[in-house]
Amino acid sequence: MKRLFKVLLIVSTVIVVFIMASVDTSAAAKKTVTVLIDPGHGGPATVATNLGACYGGLQEKDITLLTAAALKSELEKYGNVKVFMSRNMDVEIGLKERIDMAKAVGADAVVSVHFNASTRHLMYGSEIFVPCGPLYSQGASLGKSIMKQWTTAGMIDKGVKTRIGKSGDYYGLIRHGASANIPTIILEHGYLDNPHDVTKVDDALDWAKLAALDAQGIANYFGLKKGVTKATVAPIITTSASKVVVDDLTPPALAIKINSYNIATGEVNYTLTGLEPESRLYLYGVSTGVTFDEAGKVVPDATDLTLWGKGNTVTGKIMVPPGYVGPINAYVFNNFNLSSNMATAYVGM
């Protein structure tokens, strides 16, 4: 009940913000659109948040700057667009200050470049965060245009989504952007600490490729053509919403069934059945041992997580020592990083 009350309170607060904000979100045609590229983080290493994600010798604040610079260069190859950056060097800039820059140049959108990491280094995939309220349609349409480029290039779609905080959008940059009536999105290109992603995000060639994908997605959203100046351009809105779009706050449910167990070889075949009506099932793990997740909840001691795929069920196998007697544990994450309770079945008993 306390959790439900908290969810309702958060949603109610955001709805009030949405109702009170008389924002014109119409997308008129223009001769030139302006985009502010925002390299995430930056500044002295004495402030942890300035660094962003750090792993394997990579620092987020450095590679966001390199990727953003490549994105600016690539996007400027298109007609009908002016491109600015919130920072061109390793300096600390406040979130509101970044949006103030966007206002000063008349930005039609802010695209913030980021990379990710997780506590247990198990997460992977690419995700985009967009405004939850009146600017949702513009932000989500831009985000989906970029995500389409990412997935075509083989990146793993973790979703174009909102994240709610106590005062509306959780992320201060998006929240300040909404206050300034500028669609602001955050690109989390991938995880620096997981082998599923790191080979796609760990060197200059990768950052240039990501920048080109980002630029193509932005260009498609605004109707820009490379090397061509059109009479006018305007955002292509592909997503609509008549209310605040709330992120998923409820973890998925999971059950496990043992289909067969060869006690001589140790091969266990299983079926997992998951339930996630609000978002989608994303990654799962199966193991004989247990550990703790970021929230302190007991989960299987998985060293890797597997993409769930489509539908409510998956089948798979796990190898255990021949003659093993004991539990087979499983759990699943949705694409908002919420995990199910551990599901357990027993073999050899």
Side-chain angles (χ1 to χ4, degrees):
M1 181 60 73
K2 288 183 179 179
R3 180 181 180 84
L4 178 59
F5 177 76
K6 181 179 180 182
V7 171
L8 291 174
L9 180 61
I10 291 172
V11 174
S12 299
T13 301
V14 178
I15 290 174
V16 169
V17 172
F18 177 49
I19 291 172
M20 293 181 66
S22 56
V23 178
D24 179 12
T25 60
S26 61
K30 306 174 68 173
K31 289 185 178 180
T32 304
V33 295
T34 301
V35 179
L36 181 82
I37 307 300
D38 173 50
H41 305 284
T46 51
V47 181
T49 54
N50 288 347
L51 298 174
C54 299
Y55 198 80
L58 296 171
Q59 288 190 350
E60 185 181 2
K61 70 167 184 170
D62 297 330
I63 62 177
T64 58
L65 184 58
L66 293 168
T67 304
L71 171 53
K72 181 178 185 292
S73 178
E74 185 67 24
L75 191 55
E76 287 176 333
K77 296 176 182 177
Y78 293 81
N80 302 91
V81 64
K82 294 181 180 178
V83 189
F84 296 87
M85 285 176 58
S86 62
R87 66 180 179 96
N88 294 291
M89 59 186 70
D90 184 16
V91 294
E92 183 177 357
I93 306 176
L95 299 178
K96 186 177 183 301
E97 187 179 354
R98 297 171 195 243
I99 298 300
D100 287 341
M101 293 180 190
K103 289 169 62 178
V105 299
D108 296 283
V110 174
V111 178
S112 190
V113 176
H114 286 261
F115 293 84
N116 230 330
S118 64
T119 302
R120 295 180 60 215
H121 315 304
L122 292 175
M123 292 295 177
Y124 54 94
S126 305
E127 58 191 342
I128 300 175
F129 290 96
V130 304
C132 67
L135 296 177
Y136 174 79
S137 294
Q138 293 181 43
S141 297
L142 174 57
K144 289 179 181 180
S145 183
I146 295 171
M147 181 63 77
K148 183 177 180 180
Q149 298 302 311
W150 288 359
T151 55
T152 299
M155 297 167 70
I156 298 169
D157 178 3
K158 198 179 176 186
V160 175
K161 53 200 175 184
T162 63
R163 186 175 177 187
I164 305 298
K166 294 180 180 179
S167 303
D169 287 294
Y170 172 85
Y171 293 107
L173 188 74
I174 295 178
R175 192 167 61 250
H176 290 304
S179 296
N181 194 28
I182 303 174
T184 300
I185 67 174
I186 294 175
L187 308 183
E188 293 283 3
H189 288 88
Y191 285 76
L192 303 180
D193 60 346
N194 189 289
H196 288 276
D197 280 351
V198 73
T199 56
K200 305 172 187 175
V201 299
D202 67 344
D203 60 34
L205 182 60
D206 291 333
W207 305 325
K209 288 179 179 178
L210 292 171
L213 296 174
D214 296 348
Q216 184 66 66
I218 295 168
N220 290 350
Y221 168 71
F222 282 112
L224 310 178
K225 297 295 183 183
K226 188 173 285 189
V228 175
T229 301
K230 302 164 70 173
T232 60
V233 292
I236 300 170
I237 305 300
T238 58
T239 304
S240 62
S242 59
K243 59 182 181 180
V244 171
V245 179
V246 181
D247 53 331
D248 188 349
L249 299 175
T250 307
L254 184 69
I256 182 172
K257 176 186 176 183
I258 303 301
N259 299 322
S260 65
Y261 172 41
N262 187 323
I263 197 168
T265 64
E267 180 176 307
V268 180
N269 290 278
Y270 59 81
T271 295
L272 302 181
T273 301
L275 179 64
E276 179 47 273
E278 295 176 288
S279 54
R280 58 186 168 92
L281 301 166
Y282 187 59
L283 298 171
Y284 70 92
V286 180
S287 173
T288 58
V290 297
T291 185
F292 299 91
D293 69 4
E294 287 89 338
K297 183 164 59 176
V298 176
V299 296
D301 187 19
T303 57
D304 190 20
L305 296 176
T306 304
L307 280 170
W308 183 273
K310 297 181 179 179
N312 293 327
T313 63
V314 296
T315 58
K317 70 177 181 181
I318 181 174
M319 299 302 297
V320 300
Y324 172 78
V325 176
I328 305 295
N329 304 307
Y331 73 146
V332 64
F333 283 95
N334 65 16
N335 66 317
F336 287 87
N337 291 357
L338 298 176
S339 65
S340 67
N341 289 325
M342 188 168 65
T344 301
Y346 294 87
V347 297
M349 302 179 70

